[in-house]
Amino acid sequence: AQSVTQLDSQVPVFEEAPVELRCNYSSSVSVYLFWYVQYPNQGLQLLLKYLSGSTLVESINGFEAEFNKSQTSFHLRKPSVHISDTAEYFCAVTLSYGGATNKLIFGTGTLLAVQP
Amino acid sequence: SQTIHQWPATLVQPVGSPLSLECTVEGTSNPNLYWYRQAAGRGLQLLFYSVGIGQISSEVPQNLSASRPQDRQFILSSKKLLLSDSGFYLCAWRSGLAPGELFFGEGSRLTVL
């Protein structure tokens, strides 16, 4: 079975500083990987995803994540954060094959707290 | 485009009372539907999922049940709420054709007193 580990429950960072949110997964087979963002009292929104192809994927608001198969990681990075990036971030994994019963397995989340 | 609606947004209920949370999806057909619960500091817990009308799979034994009376409608229910049922409930859908991302509703915050 797959699993996802987000070791950092909270990451404080100053505005305009770089940030990395760590995500490691466990799976013996091929997977798809996702990062979601959740603002207070809202649902989750997809930030970016890796399905196949280039191992570096980017979002429209400056985040990027790199799929590293050898290290089973999918860390999320941003070179310069804004106050508006303050939110909880969830990493998720699902099998890359199979049908409707495939589930998305989520990590426990990392709260990114951007300070002025 | 596809949209997902979830209601009510906020609910305060006494212990032992019933519960009904509703979720509908528009703009797609035969979606896979999911109910998650989010408790503080514990991430997302998958409660139920459905691949078709009347087809419900339960992930954890609990005080809750789910139903799918129509293709794009998913309902979370309880006959008697417990304090431990408090949390943020999220409905989500994804295409039934291939594995991929989930699309979430805005969530329903349930407080059981």
Side-chain angles (χ1 to χ4, degrees):
Chain A
Q2 314 89 51
S3 65
V4 178
T5 302
Q6 292 180 251
L7 288 173
D8 304 308
S9 60
Q10 187 168 351
V11 173
V13 63
F14 288 108
E15 194 173 18
E16 297 183 5
V19 71
E20 178 180 82
L21 306 184
R22 296 180 294 168
C23 172
N24 288 89
Y25 69 92
S26 173
S27 177
S28 58
V29 295
S30 179
V31 296
Y32 293 156
L33 293 155
F34 308 85
W35 275 101
Y36 283 83
V37 59
Q38 184 181 31
Y39 300 101
N41 293 312
Q42 294 186 24
L44 278 70
Q45 303 171 35
L46 181 68
L47 189 60
L48 46 75
K49 61 184 177 184
Y50 170 77
L51 302 182
S52 64
S54 173
T55 57
L56 184 66
V57 291
E58 299 176 351
S59 72
I60 59 173
N61 58 350
F63 283 94
E64 65 178 30
E66 185 162 19
F67 170 54
N68 188 319
K69 188 175 181 180
S70 63
Q71 297 186 7
T72 60
S73 68
F74 191 55
H75 301 329
L76 182 69
R77 303 184 185 95
K78 189 170 186 179
S80 176
V81 295
H82 304 287
I83 294 287
S84 59
D85 293 323
T86 295
E88 189 143 26
Y89 292 80
F90 291 92
C91 183
V93 64
T94 190
L95 295 178
S96 64
Y97 61 90
T101 56
N102 264 345
K103 297 163 221 170
L104 221 57
I105 307 299
F106 286 87
T108 51
T110 298
L111 177 62
L112 175 62
V114 182
Q115 305 163 17
Chain B
S1 63
Q2 301 91 2
T3 57
I4 178 169
H5 303 285
Q6 190 179 337
W7 71 94
T10 306
L11 200 58
V12 180
Q13 292 286 102
V15 169
S17 64
L19 171 73
S20 180
L21 300 179
E22 294 195 32
C23 172
T24 59
V25 180
E26 297 176 358
T28 187
S29 59
N30 198 29
N32 293 345
L33 297 171
Y34 304 81
W35 278 111
Y36 284 86
R37 177 169 58 201
Q38 188 176 22
R42 296 184 59 185
L44 283 86
Q45 180 187 32
L46 178 61
L47 302 175
F48 301 94
Y49 68 94
S50 172
V51 301
I53 296 174
Q55 301 178 60
I56 308 294
S57 296
S58 174
E59 286 296 292
V60 293
Q62 60 202 318
N63 187 42
L64 302 169
S65 62
S67 62
R68 185 170 177 174
Q70 301 180 40
D71 181 45
R72 291 170 290 173
Q73 184 184 24
F74 205 25
I75 299 171
L76 183 69
S77 304
S78 174
K79 292 183 179 177
K80 290 185 177 181
L81 285 168
L82 306 172
L83 287 174
S84 57
D85 292 325
S86 293
F88 194 50
Y89 289 82
L90 290 159
C91 182
W93 75 274
R94 73 178 185 188
S95 169
L97 298 176
E101 64 263 37
L102 285 172
F103 300 93
F104 284 86
E106 288 298 310
S108 298
R109 184 163 299 284
L110 170 65
T111 303
V112 183
L113 302 175

